DNA sequence: GCGACAG
DNA sequence: ATCTTGTCGC
């Protein structure tokens, strides 16, 4: 698929990256996520053993048939350090390269990381969604910012994530006996719809199938092929 | 100055 | 993310 808008430069200083986030955050749109979203693109990244490259993977999951219909990986040089709050500048180049290889355009992107649950309300899910101009959801395995109560112990139990008086996400238990996931809106989505979609993509594991499969794919592609 | 800190 | 053995639980 092609991107409606050309991306900005990726080789930046942390200070410049923050400026880019503040600018792009103005482009985040809020919409009701389509309840009929069928093709979900799960995204995940890893690093080569020498830590010089980032490997991005995308798995297009057909929610109707419950199967992966496309899988792609792409490698890009690692040019940015890990700085909490600037994750996308490290992983997005490889992830976008993988997304670009998709034949079918996704209905929504499911990113491994936060969306609005971010200090500047522009986590990697927002970044990917805005650049691709596609609905996106952040699905992180741990908290970056915000306060919350511990959700109930059963699958589907949830509590909200708050920061500065705003509700920035949902802490969702996707499987009993495991730590909850942090769901937040990325771009062109709503929190309720995001939570519903994550649960709809669940297959008995803590992670929703699209990102779980992308995770597996990237783990294999990391070393060799 | 002391923690917290997506992946 | 990644480095790593055994071990607790279903």
């Amino acid at each position: 698929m092609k991107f409606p808008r050309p991306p900005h430069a990726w080789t930046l200083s942390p200070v410049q990256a923050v400026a880019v986030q503040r600018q792009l955050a103005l482009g985040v749109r809020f919409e009701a996520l389509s309840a009929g979203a069928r093709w979900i693109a799960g995204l995940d990244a890893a690093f080569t053993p020498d830590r010089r490259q980032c490997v991005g993977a995308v798995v297009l999951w057909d929610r109707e048939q419950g199967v992966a219909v496309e899988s792609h990986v792409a490698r890009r040089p690692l040019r940015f350090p890990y700085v909490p709050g600037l994750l996308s500048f490290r992983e997005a180049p490889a992830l976008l390269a993988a997304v670009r290889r998709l034949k079918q355009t996704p209905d929504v992107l499911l990113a491994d990381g936060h969306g609005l649950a971010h200090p500047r309300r522009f986590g990697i899910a927002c970044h990917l969604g805005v650049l691709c101009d596609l609905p996106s959801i952040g699905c992180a395995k741990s908290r970056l910012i915000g306060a919350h109560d511990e959700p109930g112990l059963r699958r589907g139990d949830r509590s909200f994530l708050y920061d500065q008086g705003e509700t920035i996400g949902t802490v969702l238990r996707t499987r009993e006996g495991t730590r909850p996931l942090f769901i937040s809106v990325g771009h062109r989505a709503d929190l309720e719809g995001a939570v519903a979609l994550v649960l709809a993509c669940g297959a008995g594991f803590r992670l929703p199938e699209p990102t779980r499969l992308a995770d597996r794919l990237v783990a294999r592609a990391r070393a060799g092929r």
Side-chain angles (χ1 to χ4, degrees):
Chain A
M1 67 169 277
K2 286 287 187 178
F3 295 123
R5 279 189 284 172
H8 51 76
W10 291 104
T11 304
L12 306 165
S13 67
V15 169
Q16 294 176 306
V18 167
V20 167
Q21 290 186 320
R22 293 213 159 97
Q23 175 60 46
L24 292 181
L26 300 174
V28 173
R29 296 287 173 265
F30 298 81
E31 287 177 17
L33 206 54
S34 170
R38 177 174 180 178
W39 289 289
I40 318 300
L43 305 163
D44 192 29
F47 309 108
T48 50
D50 61 16
R51 300 196 169 191
R52 297 171 65 79
Q53 288 185 306
C54 179
V55 182
V58 59
V59 170
L60 192 64
W61 174 260
D62 179 344
R63 204 172 51 147
E64 278 187 22
Q65 299 184 55
V67 297
V69 293
E70 276 194 61
S71 295
H72 303 283
V73 295
R75 293 162 178 270
R76 284 294 182 277
L78 211 41
R79 299 170 174 166
F80 205 89
Y82 171 67
V83 178
L86 298 177
L87 178 67
S88 59
F89 291 87
R90 201 168 154 74
E91 304 188 341
L95 293 174
L96 289 171
V99 168
R100 204 173 289 130
R101 295 181 176 170
L102 289 171
K103 293 183 174 63
Q104 165 75 49
T105 299
D107 287 321
V108 54
L109 303 179
L110 236 191
D112 185 23
H114 294 99
L116 295 180
H118 176 280
R120 288 169 294 282
R121 306 291 183 262
F122 198 71
I124 190 167
C126 300
H127 206 151
L128 295 169
V130 168
L131 291 188
C132 296
D133 191 26
L134 285 175
S136 63
I137 295 170
C139 185
K141 298 183 293 299
S142 64
R143 184 195 73 95
L144 174 58
I145 60 163
H148 66 88
D149 287 328
E150 206 51 38
L153 304 179
R154 314 228 304 170
R155 169 178 166 79
D157 285 347
R158 69 200 70 171
S159 59
F160 287 116
L161 220 207
Y162 304 103
D163 179 56
Q164 303 290 128
E166 293 181 75
T167 295
I168 59 175
T170 292
V171 184
L172 179 68
R173 186 136 266 147
T174 51
R175 177 179 182 171
E176 298 183 8
T178 63
R179 297 164 49 220
L181 253 30
F182 294 73
I183 312 304
S184 60
V185 165
H187 180 55
R188 293 172 54 183
D190 63 286
L191 192 53
E192 296 309 308
V195 169
L197 188 140
V198 168
L199 289 174
C201 289
F205 297 94
R206 180 162 90 119
L207 297 180
E209 280 304 276
T211 49
R212 195 179 74 84
L213 293 177
D215 200 346
R216 282 181 26 173
L217 176 58
V218 90
R220 285 196 303 100
R222 192 167 75 82
R225 176 166 292 180

